[in-house]
Amino acid sequence: MGSIRFKLGALIAAVATFAVLAAAGVVLAVGATDQALEAAIAAQRRLDLLTEASARLSEFGITAVADASHPTADRDRVSSARDRVVSVLDTVASESPEDLSAAEVTTQGRARLMAHLKADFAVLDRQIGLALSDRDPVRRSDAVRGALNAFAASAGPLLSVLVESERRGVVNAREEARALSTRLRLGAIGLSVLVLAAALMLHRTLARPLLDRLRQIDKAAGAIGSGVLDTRLAIGSRDELGLLMAKFNRMAERLARRARKVADDRAVLERTITERTADLTAANARLAAIDASRRRFFTDVSHELRTPLTVIIGECDVTQRAASIPEDLTRSVLATIRKRAARLHRRVEDLLRVARSESGEIELVFQDVPLRPLLEEAALSFEVPARRQRVQLALEAEEPGPLVHADREWLRQVVEGLMDNALRHGAPLTRITVRQSCEADGVRIVVEDDGRGVAPEQRAGLFERFARGSSEHSGFGIGLALAEWVVRQHGGRITLEDNIDGGGSRAGLRAVITLPLPDAERRAGEEETP
C-alpha cells in the first residue's frame, strides 16, 4: 500500500469500475426506453389502422347504398371499396399479438374478434352482392340497407371494443414510459450519490496525500528559484515521492554550495570590472575630448580658410582677365591679396595655436602691446559675420590706448572668442560693443551685447573644461576655460556679468577682462596647462 504505483492503479481501477457501471446503467435504461417507445408506437399504429378500417367500412356502405339506388348497379366501384376494406382488415389482423399490452382485449382475445369481424364483413359482402343482382331497384336498395344494418349491429360493438382496447394500450404505454423515466431519474441520482461518495473517499485516501506532497515539492522548488537555497523537504514515507524529495534535498545542497562559490567569484569579478570600468571611462573621456578637438579643429580650418581664399582667387581672376593692368589697379589688387593673405596667415596661426592648446602645448610670448590696434583687428575679423546676422559692431577705445604686457596673439584670440560666443549664443541681439578703459586696478577690456544673456547659476559651469552652451552651432574661437587660463597667465581675471541698461533691466551679457598695467610688478606666474 506504500507504493504510488499501487495507489494510482487502485484509483484507475475504481474509475474504470464506475465507468462500467455507468455504461451498463445507460445501456439498460436505453433498452427499457426503447421497449416502452416501441409498445406505445405499436398501440398507436393499431389504433390508427382500426380508425382507417372504420372509415373504409363506412365508405363501402355508402358506395353500396349509392349503387343500389342507381337503376343499373356498378359492381366495379363496390368491388374496389370492398378490396380496400379487406386490405385494411388484413393489415390489422397481421399485427403480432406480442405487440399488444399485457392486458387482454376481451375474453375471446384479439384474434377471435378480428376473425369475427372479417367473417361479418364476408357475410355483408355476399349479401350486398346478392342484393345488387336483383333487377328491381327498390328491392335492391332495401336489401342493401338491411344487410348494412345487420352488419352494423353485429360488427359495430366488436370494432368499438377493439378501438377502446388499443386506446387503453396507448395510455398504458405512456404511463409505463413515465414510470420508467421516474425510475431512471431515481437510479441516476442514486448512482451519482454513490459515485460522489466513492470519489470523495478516494480523494481523501489516495489523491489528497499525493497532492499535498506534490504541493510541498512545488513550493520548495519556487523557493529555490527565488534564491532561498536553504529550503529542504520532509521526506516522509519511502515511496517514489519520498525518493524524489531526498534527491531534491541533495540537489538543493549542491546548489547552495555552488551559489556560495559563484557569489565569491562574482565579488572578485565586480571589483575587477569596477577597476577596469574606471580606467576605460577615463580613457574614453580623454579620447572623446581629443576627438572633439580634432573635429572642431578641422571644421574651423575649413570655415576660416574659405572666405580669404575666395577673395584671393577672385582678385587674381580679375587681374588675369584685364587686357592691360593699370598701376593703380595693380596696387589695389595686390594690396587686397596681401591683406587677405595676411588675414589667412593669421587664421592659420590661430587655428594651430588652438590645436596646440587642446594638446596642452601652449607657449606664451609676452611683450608690451598697444591695446587699441589689437581690439580693432579682433573687431574687423567679425565684421562680415556680424553684418550677415544684422548685428552692429562698436569699438570704444581711446587713441593711442594703453599698453599691456601680454602675448598679443593669445590676447586677441581671447577677445575674438568672447565676440564669437556673443554672436553664436546671444541671439536675438542687435549690438556688440568692445571697449577699453584704464582703472585703478588695471586695464579693462569689456565685450558686451544686448542678447538673451546667461542665467547666474549657469555662469560658473561655462568656465569648466569642455563645457558647451545650449547652441548647436560650431565655429572658430577658444573656449572660456582656455580664455580664463590665458588671462590668469597674464596676471589678470575674467568675469561674466549682466549687461544692465539705464532702466535697471537685464539686457544681455558683459564679459570683463582685467589686466595689470605694464609698469606694475605683477607678471603672470607659471601655472600648469589646463
Side-chain angles (χ1 to χ4, degrees), residues 13 23 103 145 149 179 200 259 405 415 426 460 464 504:
R145 293 179 186 278
N149 290 332
L200 180 60
H405 191 73
V415 176
E464 296 178 0

Side-chain angles (χ1 to χ4, degrees), residues 8-276:
L8 292 178
L11 182 60
I12 293 173
V15 173
T17 302
F18 292 147
V20 170
L21 290 176
V26 171
V27 171
L28 294 176
V30 170
T33 303
D34 288 343
Q35 291 179 1
L37 290 175
E38 289 176 0
I41 292 171
Q44 185 64 44
R45 175 175 172 76
R46 287 192 298 273
L47 181 61
D48 294 340
L49 289 174
L50 288 174
T51 303
E52 185 179 359
S54 177
R56 295 303 179 187
L57 287 172
S58 299
E59 180 185 1
F60 177 75
I62 294 171
T63 303
V65 171
D67 286 346
S69 301
H70 201 271
T72 58
D74 188 358
R75 299 297 299 273
D76 292 336
R77 191 168 57 179
V78 175
S79 298
S80 178
R82 181 195 61 210
D83 292 340
R84 288 194 291 272
V85 173
V86 172
S87 176
V88 173
L89 292 178
D90 289 341
T91 302
V92 175
S94 66
E95 290 291 329
S96 176
E98 288 76 12
D99 293 337
L100 288 172
S101 61
E104 291 292 338
V105 177
T106 63
T107 57
Q108 296 177 349
R110 177 178 176 278
R112 289 185 179 184
L113 291 176
M114 288 302 302
H116 191 251
L117 181 62
K118 293 177 70 175
D120 289 343
F121 180 73
V123 172
L124 174 65
D125 184 45
R126 285 194 303 272
Q127 290 176 350
I128 289 177
L130 292 174
L132 292 177
S133 61
D134 193 347
R135 295 182 178 275
D136 186 2
V138 176
R139 289 196 301 271
R140 187 170 57 219
S141 178
D142 292 340
V144 169
R145 293 179 186 278
L148 288 175
N149 290 332
F151 176 77
S154 175
L158 295 177
L159 189 60
S160 298
V161 171
L162 288 173
V163 170
E164 183 63 25
S165 66
E166 296 301 340
R167 187 177 292 111
R168 287 199 303 270
V170 172
V171 174
N172 293 336
R174 291 178 178 176
E175 291 178 353
E176 184 178 354
R178 284 195 293 270
L180 178 61
S181 176
T182 302
R183 291 195 297 271
L184 290 177
R185 289 194 189 97
L186 294 176
I189 293 173
L191 183 60
S192 299
V193 172
L194 179 61
V195 170
L196 289 176
L200 180 60
M201 182 183 66
L202 291 175
H203 175 73
R204 291 177 61 86
T205 57
L206 296 179
R208 189 169 69 179
L210 292 177
L211 293 176
D212 290 340
R213 298 175 71 185
L214 290 175
R215 195 177 297 109
Q216 293 176 7
I217 294 175
D218 178 71
K219 184 177 179 181
I224 292 292
S226 301
V228 185
L229 299 180
D230 57 348
T231 303
R232 299 295 181 270
L233 290 171
I235 296 176
S237 60
R238 305 296 296 182
D239 53 9
E240 289 86 347
L241 278 181
L243 296 177
L244 178 61
M245 290 179 173
K247 293 180 180 179
F248 183 91
N249 291 338
R250 290 194 294 271
M251 178 199 68
E253 182 61 31
R254 288 195 296 270
L255 285 177
R257 289 197 298 269
R258 291 180 181 178
R260 289 191 292 270
K261 186 176 183 302
V262 169
D264 296 339
D265 295 341
R266 182 178 180 179
V268 175
L269 181 61
E270 287 180 350
R271 287 196 298 271
T272 304
I273 291 175
T274 301
E275 296 172 357
R276 298 297 181 269

Side-chain angles (χ1 to χ4, degrees), residues 465-486:
R465 194 64 169 169
F466 306 118
R468 296 180 60 87
S470 60
S471 175
E472 297 181 356
H473 303 287
S474 60
F476 177 72
I478 64 175
L480 288 178
L482 181 58
E484 184 185 34
W485 183 85
V486 170

